[in-house]
Amino acid sequence: MFRVVSDKSEDTGGGARASRRQHARNPARFDRSLDGAILDAVLADSGYDQMSMDGIASRARVGKAAIYRRWPSKAAVVADAIAHWRRGIGSVQPPNTGSLRGDIDALAAAVPDLDEAEVGFMKVVIGVATAATHDPVLAAALDELVLSQPRRMISVVLDNAVARGEIPAGRDLALITDAALGLNILRAITGRPMDRVFVRRVLEGVILPLATGPTDI
């Protein structure tokens, strides 16, 4: 959702990744250099529900057995693909301009222009969100690798505003943060773009009044 400053050294999704990598019994038995091609092939799919191991293998130009030697299921390989995508982005530092209004402007400006491949990947993530309701592996990957960073970004911005006295103490900031993420997820599910214009509307029209308004929520 936001990109400001990247740091490729961040270790993302440790808990979920550890549980997902139990399948790697003997890494020496196969060529680990194929992992990236397979994970890129997952990200190039157009959705989760119709995704198949055969399709992933075809796009990666490997045999299906090469995938199953690494991952026991579609859910497992998709979870690792999300981690692969997240590592490519790196960490993103929340803005701290000295004012809540300035930070909101910086958040909106940091929304990236999505190319065709990234739009396709968002379709995969939407399908993952649906499947995550009954698959703990996907639920952990979605929470740790997709939602945690924008949640942290907004939380830090709001916490800084509280410290500056711009937001009343005692406001339920977690609820405000979830409202921002929920509106973006709803936008994605309905097939509409999460561009800078929409993100700015959410931040200025919903989040800012909820955070600074006189009525507690």
Side-chain angles (χ1 to χ4, degrees):
M1 183 175 171
F2 308 115
R3 298 178 191 169
V4 180
V5 178
S6 290
D7 177 2
K8 301 290 184 174
S9 65
E10 182 188 34
D11 181 17
T12 58
R17 186 170 63 249
S19 64
R20 294 195 299 272
R21 291 194 180 278
Q22 294 301 315
H23 57 274
R25 314 266 188 225
N26 187 358
R29 293 182 56 193
F30 48 81
D31 183 1
R32 302 299 310 190
S33 67
L34 295 178
D35 290 11
I38 295 170
L39 296 175
D40 286 339
V42 173
L43 300 178
D45 209 295
S46 59
Y48 180 79
D49 291 340
Q50 302 303 318
M51 185 187 299
S52 68
M53 293 299 215
D54 287 318
I56 296 170
S58 176
R59 285 189 300 276
R61 300 179 182 275
V62 300
K64 188 164 64 172
I67 301 176
Y68 278 113
R69 282 198 296 269
R70 293 160 170 79
W71 298 278
S73 66
K74 182 173 77 170
V77 69
V78 170
D80 258 6
I82 293 174
H84 176 64
W85 163 79
R86 180 64 187 81
R87 287 192 297 270
I89 295 177
S91 67
V92 180
Q93 299 305 317
N96 189 2
T97 65
S99 73
L100 179 57
R101 170 64 68 176
D103 289 348
I104 283 178
D105 286 341
L107 286 175
V111 175
D113 293 320
L114 300 182
D115 58 26
E116 185 176 346
E118 289 173 314
V119 171
F121 174 62
M122 289 306 299
K123 295 178 181 179
V124 174
V125 171
I126 292 167
V128 168
T130 301
T133 60
H134 53 78
D135 191 312
V137 171
L138 293 178
L142 187 69
D143 188 57
E144 293 181 19
L145 302 170
V146 177
L147 300 178
S148 65
Q149 180 166 279
R151 183 184 290 122
R152 182 180 69 89
M153 293 277 286
I154 298 173
S155 295
V156 170
V157 165
L158 295 178
D159 286 341
N160 288 341
V162 171
R164 291 191 296 261
E166 296 175 280
I167 296 177
R171 188 71 37 106
D172 190 345
L173 301 183
L175 183 60
I176 296 173
T177 300
D178 284 346
L181 294 179
L183 288 170
N184 280 277
I185 292 170
L186 178 63
R187 182 84 169 183
I189 289 174
T190 55
R192 292 173 290 173
M194 290 185 295
D195 54 20
R196 290 188 189 93
V197 173
F198 175 74
V199 171
R200 185 176 291 277
R201 286 173 58 201
V202 170
L203 293 172
E204 294 183 343
V206 179
I207 303 310
L208 188 59
L210 286 176
T212 61
T215 303
D216 207 358
I217 59 172

